[in-house]
Amino acid sequence: SEGPAGQAEYLARQLLLRGRIVPPAEVIARLDACDVDMVRAAGARLLAGPVARASVGAAAPRVKKAA
């Protein structure tokens, strides 16, 4: 969000995750440094990990498999 609350949330998130406020120029530089092989390697690491699922609200009814 571009409003003051959104900006405050962004800055707070940076402080919590990084312990500092990361300047936009640094974020852009890190994104520019990525290449296809780096993105593929990151995707492979994500897909190699355990699978988890979370949901909020009532559980969907279970459907019995046809015999």
Side-chain angles (χ1 to χ4, degrees):
S1 171
E2 295 292 327
Q7 292 175 7
E9 181 182 343
Y10 172 78
L11 295 174
R13 187 179 318 112
Q14 291 299 310
L15 288 172
L16 286 171
L17 295 175
R18 307 261 185 228
R20 65 188 181 94
I21 295 173
V22 180
E26 182 180 335
V27 175
I28 292 168
R30 292 185 70 182
L31 289 171
D32 285 343
C34 291
D35 61 15
V36 172
D37 291 331
M38 293 170 73
V39 174
R40 285 184 178 148
R45 285 193 305 273
L46 286 173
L47 294 174
V51 176
R53 183 180 103 171
S55 61
V56 177
R62 294 181 181 247
V63 178
K64 293 183 181 181
K65 291 184 180 180

